[in-house]
Amino acid sequence: MTTGLIPGGHPPDPRPTGGLPSQSRREPVGQGAPHLDERPRSSVITARAAASFEPVGRSVASARSFVRDTLQGWGFADIVDDAVVLTSELVTNAVVHAGTAADVLCLRSDDGVRVEVSDRYPEREIPLQGPSAAMGNLDREGGRGLQLCAALAGRWGVDYTPTHKQVWFRLDLPERAVGTRAAGPCLPAELLPLADGRVRVAVIQIDRAGAISAWNEDAEDVFGYPSEQVTGKPLTDLAAWPHTPGTSTGIAEALQLSRWEGSYGIRDAAGRVVPVYASHLRVRDTDGEPSTVCLLVRDHERAVLQTPVRVSTTDTTTNAEGQSTDPFEIFIGSPAPDDLDGLLQRTVERARDMLDADSAFLLLATDDETELEVRASTGLPSARQRFARVPVEAGPGRYGSARMPAVHDDLSSVPGAVPLLNGTGMRSVVTVPLKVEGRLTGSLGVAAESPGRYSNEEALRLQFAADRIALAVESARLGELERLRRGSLSFLVEASDLLAGTLDRDQTLALMAQMTVPTLATWCAVYTIADQAADPYLSYVLHEDEELIDGIKSLLSKIPPPDPVPTPGAHVWTAPAEAAHQAALRTSMRSLGLSEPASIAAGIGTTLATASAVGGETVVLPLVARNRVIGMLTLGKPTDEHFRQEILELAEDLSRRAALALDNARLYSERTAISQALQRSLLPPGLPQIDGVEVDVIYRAAGEGNEVGGDFYDVFPIGENTYGFAIGDVCGTGPNAAAVTGLARHALRLLAREGLSGPAVLQRLNSAILDEGARSRFLTLLYGELRPREDGSAELKIVCAGHPLPLRLRQDGTVETAAEPQPLLGVLEDLELYEQTITLDPGDVLLCVTDGVTERREGTRMLGDDGLMEVLTTCTGLTAGAVAARIMRAVDRFASDAPSDDMAILTMRVPDLPN
């Protein structure tokens, strides 16, 4: 991949300017006007980034990373996910379907970004007419790139030249108000919001490396850290950043932007997360050194920093006095928040103030209207309740008054009527539904600590307000859901690529955990099930804070694992939170010197930090592959936190992909283990120790994962002071050749120990090979018998049946062949073989190899017999092992490519006589 980046200025047009003119731009099939390049001529290109990718599958992931990094660096986080999805589809079309290299060009302007993907296959044109379905069928693997462009891009098109085809799309940045002004009416003092003491604005300065360089007194008061304790530490050590795919950037990216505003959390000195609203401004000092100034207030005091957004005058109507009369604006205030969380928080605050209540809350319905999810509250422990879910109609703790307005004078007489208020001290409550076109979308309620505060009149007022805001809330919710789903699509594409890239079981488990933490959960654990009769086994644990991993692993190992339920979907598992609660209680009572209650389980023994880490909601998703539960993916939140329904749906999609990847890794590991065990059984158990003769072997099978191929060797005792040796080569490589290898090696041992001569052994082996019929393969074999002599020499009787001739290295450095060629085995029924006798004198070496050594090639060159003899002449005085090693090094250096044939080297040397 090659890349280039030119910041600022006017880069040259990447399209060809000479030669034949560009072909006319084709109109994509579909409704509406042609998608022409409508970029204004005055639009200034402020930066460009280009990269080229080879026509291989891994280039798709590289292209996604390139576009993501480029747009993040430009501060275009709002459109990153759409750009990544579109680039992935277009590059796939180029490198996979078209089979050519792909050139990706990103152009930045003030109001958006244009991405161009070019391939070198201009003949692949889009259809000029016909139904839009012709562009791509959802059941097919390819052809959806242009449809995605039409759905996601602001503008897009296709350009053709004689040598290239270019598909481009443009994504516009969302409009951001500049120079906004906002004001509210003058209110009596008693109507002003109540602040806890004086409002403190924490001022923190972050240097270019992300470390804290300044920390004012208000920051010390709000978070409890003195300046000297945090100065020099990264802000990421303290920030609890919301990890929701598709809806936000990371804190590191936010600190690099010129301006950023929003909510997150800061862990204070006591370990609690303080929700804050922040305004970041990127500045530079007189030396040009950049840094970021962060202003932070407690989240409920966000109005001090929050920048209101100006709304269009067409969204409201005015009366004769020119005042807004839109009921929604009257209730929610102007300007309205432009994000869902801000709108919901403003709604509950206004509802509480309207009915002079102590608290208010708003829940949103799931798509099937069976559950309500807490999304905003005021006057309640919101951090503890956020994203908690309750059933609408049935089951324990049901929210029975969701579909109709309801007034409860005293909750103490109807416990559980509003589960959200359990244990909060609220007595009277009024709830009203939020409906859009008759469909339940949520519920709004206000509550007071005293009983009997509300009547039907208050319910009607609240219902009137709920009717005014229901459509706006649903529209904002759908917008948030769409952004989340786009981010989820990008997340799942990258997850699938990572999981498909490995067949290693341990690496697959690690990938599963790393993809979920911290994107989907704070911690996770993966349980695996070896077979249907086995219990779940805790295989992997991960937490976003590495220091807590061992504590969580210890806690989970001491409680029973979750039941392997095959039903799809996330199931709540309460055991970790309960165990964490008991462990925390035990620790606290021991620290106070109190006796522990008998009801608390003993032996768990964990720290308060670990107990807090697993004290929130925990869900279990089954890992089902090929109709069998092979494990469970457990996701958890820290104390008092819950999962969003959309996150659980995304986790379910991920679990299905992860289960198949894990099962594929299991099957691959099992088959590899079986193959290696069978292959190892075909190799000799070891070389015997022969008095007076050094023997060494080097064996290398061709092909990944093969330990035995068509080449084989053996050295074994036949009788007293007599040893057999053999080196052979079966036609072909791989398992089929290895089967004949096993037959030959074991038959040689049996026949030789029957006292048969060398020719008789090989003739009977030839008959056994021919008896295999269609499975038989011809075999070259060098077989001999070795007898050491008392005078220090060794006698060898050799039969060379079609095999490369053995070479003899004398002590004076001369090399000669040590046998004559004879017919190979497995072809003719009647063989006339004879054996030859040679004597190895002290210092002599006998080298036996298979043709994988002599036929080693580099282009048109081949090592050959002459090359082997030349290498052997340099081995005078070396031991048998050193000779074999030098021959193998010479073979490896002869060619740069991996060997395509099996190789075996057998060396025997008679040691020099002592002086």
Side-chain angles (χ1 to χ4, degrees):
M1 180 186 80
T2 59
T3 63
L5 179 64
I6 303 177
H10 299 269
D13 191 337
R15 295 180 291 275
T17 56
L20 294 175
S22 174
Q23 297 184 20
S24 61
R25 183 167 296 135
R26 307 286 184 173
E27 176 186 354
V29 176
Q31 299 178 354
H35 295 275
L36 298 178
D37 186 358
E38 301 174 0
R39 183 176 65 201
R41 294 303 176 189
S42 61
S43 178
V44 177
I45 302 300
T46 58
R48 71 187 293 269
S52 298
F53 301 93
E54 299 177 356
V56 293
R58 64 176 180 272
S59 293
V60 179
S62 299
R64 283 198 299 268
S65 299
F66 164 70
V67 172
R68 181 183 295 279
D69 294 343
T70 299
L71 268 60
Q72 291 278 18
W74 289 347
F76 288 174
D78 296 335
I79 59 176
V80 163
D81 291 321
D82 287 354
V84 168
V85 170
L86 294 179
T87 303
S88 178
E89 287 292 332
L90 298 182
V91 174
T92 299
N93 290 343
V95 303
V96 176
H97 302 301
T100 77
D103 301 324
V104 180
L105 175 65
C106 300
L107 301 174
R108 181 183 72 181
S109 61
D110 294 336
D111 54 353
V113 66
R114 171 179 168 127
V115 179
E116 301 175 354
V117 179
S118 303
D119 65 47
R120 303 182 178 108
Y121 194 1
E123 293 83 359
R124 292 176 58 90
E125 300 185 2
I126 60 175
L128 296 178
Q129 59 185 359
S132 60
M135 290 175 61
N137 189 320
L138 295 179
D139 295 330
R140 295 175 55 200
E141 178 184 356
R144 296 189 295 268
L146 300 181
Q147 288 183 335
L148 282 175
C149 285
L152 300 181
R155 292 186 294 278
W156 67 281
V158 184
D159 294 333
Y160 292 97
T161 70
T163 58
H164 287 74
K165 181 190 74 177
Q166 179 190 91
V167 183
W168 61 269
F169 62 87
R170 179 177 174 81
L171 297 173
D172 297 325
L173 290 177
E175 294 184 1
R176 296 182 174 89
V178 179
T180 300
R181 298 291 185 269
C186 294
L187 297 176
E190 61 272 12
L191 297 181
L192 296 176
L194 182 64
D196 301 333
R198 75 175 180 89
V199 176
R200 297 184 181 273
V201 179
V203 181
I204 305 174
Q205 191 154 359
I206 311 299
D207 61 23
R208 70 183 308 164
I212 298 171
S213 59
W215 183 272
N216 73 341
E217 293 181 359
D218 280 359
E220 295 182 6
D221 185 82
V222 173
F223 305 121
Y225 297 105
S227 174
E228 59 273 10
Q229 184 176 347
V230 295
T231 300
K233 290 186 176 180
L235 181 61
T236 53
D237 288 356
L238 306 180
W241 195 260
H243 295 284
T244 304
T247 62
S248 65
T249 57
I251 187 169
E253 292 79 8
L255 290 173
Q256 296 299 317
L257 299 179
S258 61
R259 174 87 171 144
W260 185 90
E261 190 172 310
S263 299
Y264 52 92
I266 296 290
R267 293 184 178 88
D268 63 13
R272 296 184 298 269
V273 175
V274 178
V276 297
Y277 190 83
S279 177
H280 296 176
L281 179 64
R282 190 76 165 164
V283 298
R284 60 189 176 94
D285 59 21
T286 55
D287 297 327
E289 187 72 13
S291 62
T292 303
V293 178
C294 306
L295 307 181
L296 300 91
V297 296
R298 292 184 175 90
D299 194 62
H300 64 276
E301 299 168 343
R302 61 168 57 194
V304 175
L305 299 178
Q306 190 169 25
T307 303
V309 178
R310 178 184 300 152
V311 296
S312 173
T313 56
T314 58
D315 294 337
T316 62
T317 59
T318 57
N319 57 19
E321 289 76 21
Q323 297 175 338
S324 173
T325 59
D326 180 24
F328 171 76
E329 293 293 351
I330 292 175
F331 176 72
I332 206 66
S334 178
D338 60 349
D339 63 302
L340 178 61
D341 289 337
L343 178 60
L344 298 182
Q345 191 62 36
R346 180 80 64 84
T347 298
V348 295
E349 291 171 357
R350 292 302 173 89
R352 179 194 61 184
D353 296 341
M354 184 177 71
L355 297 186
D356 191 23
D358 296 314
S359 64
F361 51 90
L362 193 149
L363 301 87
L364 294 183
T366 56
D367 291 339
D368 56 5
E369 301 181 31
T370 60
E371 289 185 315
L372 290 170
E373 188 177 67
V374 180
R375 292 301 301 270
S377 64
T378 182
L380 296 173
S382 57
R384 177 172 61 89
Q385 300 292 348
R386 187 168 169 80
F387 300 125
R389 293 175 300 279
V390 291
V392 174
E393 298 293 352
R398 68 185 182 89
Y399 198 97
S401 57
R403 299 188 184 276
M404 296 292 292
V407 177
H408 297 279
D409 289 333
D410 193 349
L411 288 179
S412 61
S413 61
V414 282
V418 184
L420 178 64
L421 301 179
N422 291 344
T424 62
M426 299 298 162
R427 298 283 296 277
S428 55
V429 60
V430 55
T431 61
V432 296
L434 275 67
K435 293 185 177 181
V436 175
E437 297 180 350
R439 182 173 62 88
L440 178 68
T441 60
S443 179
L444 175 64
V446 297
E449 295 179 354
S450 58
R453 283 280 299 274
Y454 304 114
S455 64
N456 289 338
E457 180 180 353
E458 282 81 9
L460 291 176
R461 290 178 60 195
L462 190 61
Q463 183 66 71
F464 179 81
D467 292 341
R468 302 287 76 77
I469 67 167
L471 185 59
V473 169
E474 180 65 4
S475 176
R477 187 187 74 86
L478 292 177
E480 180 193 67
L481 186 60
E482 180 64 20
R483 290 192 298 272
L484 180 64
R485 286 176 176 169
R486 290 184 181 184
S488 299
L489 177 61
S490 177
F491 172 78
L492 289 174
V493 166
E494 296 189 12
S496 299
D497 273 357
L498 289 172
L499 290 171
T502 180
L503 287 172
D504 182 82
R505 176 182 175 275
D506 293 337
Q507 188 174 1
T508 301
L509 290 172
L511 284 174
M512 290 169 58
Q514 292 166 6
M515 286 185 292
T516 57
V517 176
T519 304
L520 305 181
T522 306
W523 65 272
C524 87
V526 183
Y527 290 84
T528 56
I529 303 175
D531 53 65
Q532 295 182 351
D535 293 329
Y537 174 75
L538 182 62
S539 299
Y540 202 93
V541 175
L542 184 66
H543 190 280
E544 62 181 7
D545 185 350
E546 295 184 358
E547 294 181 356
L548 298 177
I549 293 177
D550 291 339
I552 296 176
K553 186 182 299 183
S554 176
L555 178 67
L556 294 178
S557 64
K558 294 175 181 177
I559 61 177
D563 296 329
V565 179
T567 308
H571 307 279
V572 177
W573 185 31
T574 60
E578 292 173 353
H581 176 72
Q582 291 186 357
L585 187 56
R586 285 190 69 200
T587 302
S588 299
M589 297 192 71
R590 281 201 305 267
S591 65
L592 296 174
L594 302 176
S595 60
E596 302 169 7
S599 59
I600 298 180
I604 293 181
T606 185
T607 65
L608 291 176
T610 302
S612 176
V614 300
E617 186 176 38
T618 302
V619 296
V620 177
L621 298 105
L623 298 175
V624 181
R626 298 176 176 89
N627 298 320
R628 186 174 74 86
V629 180
I630 63 170
M632 291 160 290
L633 178 63
T634 303
L635 307 179
K637 288 281 190 179
T639 299
D640 299 334
E641 291 192 20
H642 300 266
F643 286 97
R644 294 187 60 174
Q645 184 63 33
E646 294 84 1
I647 294 297
L648 294 180
E649 293 172 359
L650 178 59
E652 185 178 356
D653 285 340
L654 177 63
S655 69
R656 287 194 292 266
R657 290 165 169 78
L660 187 59
L662 183 61
D663 199 46
N664 288 341
R666 178 188 63 83
L667 293 174
Y668 178 79
S669 299
E670 289 180 356
R671 293 182 180 181
T672 300
I674 293 173
S675 173
Q676 292 176 346
L678 292 175
Q679 290 184 68
R680 282 192 292 269
S681 68
L682 302 178
L683 294 174
L687 297 177
Q689 294 292 330
I690 303 176
D691 293 337
V693 178
E694 300 174 2
V695 179
D696 208 327
V697 171
I698 294 179
Y699 182 84
R700 185 184 294 174
E704 183 179 358
N706 291 333
E707 296 191 20
V708 176
D711 292 5
F712 69 96
Y713 69 92
D714 201 2
V715 180
F716 55 92
I718 297 176
E720 184 177 357
N721 203 36
T722 303
Y723 299 87
F725 64 91
I727 184 170
D729 184 2
V730 178
C731 173
T733 60
N736 293 330
V740 179
T741 295
L743 169 66
R745 194 178 71 80
H746 291 95
L748 281 175
R749 287 197 172 208
L750 291 173
L751 294 172
R753 287 170 178 170
E754 291 295 322
L756 300 176
S757 65
V761 169
L762 268 60
Q763 288 168 353
R764 284 167 173 76
L765 175 59
N766 180 65
S767 299
I769 294 174
L770 293 175
D771 288 344
E772 292 293 306
R775 296 182 300 177
S776 66
R777 291 170 175 256
F778 64 80
L779 167 67
T780 68
L781 180 64
L782 173 66
Y783 172 76
E785 294 181 0
L786 168 67
R787 293 185 178 87
R789 292 177 174 176
E790 294 182 357
D791 61 357
S793 64
E795 181 186 71
L796 287 80
K797 295 181 179 180
I798 302 175
V799 181
C800 186
H803 198 78
L805 299 179
L807 299 178
R808 177 179 180 175
L809 171 65
R810 294 187 180 274
Q811 197 169 15
D812 60 4
T814 59
V815 176
E816 61 185 7
T817 58
E820 297 176 354
Q822 301 184 56
L824 52 75
L825 308 181
V827 179
L828 303 175
E829 292 186 2
D830 297 327
L831 290 180
E832 294 184 1
L833 302 173
Y834 58 92
E835 63 184 9
Q836 297 173 269
T837 302
I838 65 170
T839 301
L840 292 182
D841 296 325
D844 289 356
V845 176
L846 185 70
L847 173 66
C848 310
V849 301
T850 58
D851 60 5
V853 174
T854 56
E855 295 179 3
R856 178 71 163 149
R857 294 180 180 274
E858 173 69 16
T860 58
R861 297 186 307 121
M862 185 172 71
L863 179 63
D865 295 332
D866 293 340
L868 181 63
M869 294 177 70
E870 183 178 348
V871 176
L872 185 59
T873 58
T874 66
C875 298
T876 304
L878 300 181
T879 63
V883 172
R886 179 169 291 186
I887 297 297
M888 182 56 71
R889 281 198 303 272
V891 172
D892 289 337
R893 292 172 180 171
F894 188 80
S896 57
D897 295 337
S900 59
D901 195 5
D902 306 325
M903 290 186 288
I905 300 174
L906 171 63
T907 56
M908 290 177 286
R909 178 179 181 271
V910 178
D912 296 331
L913 294 175
N915 294 329

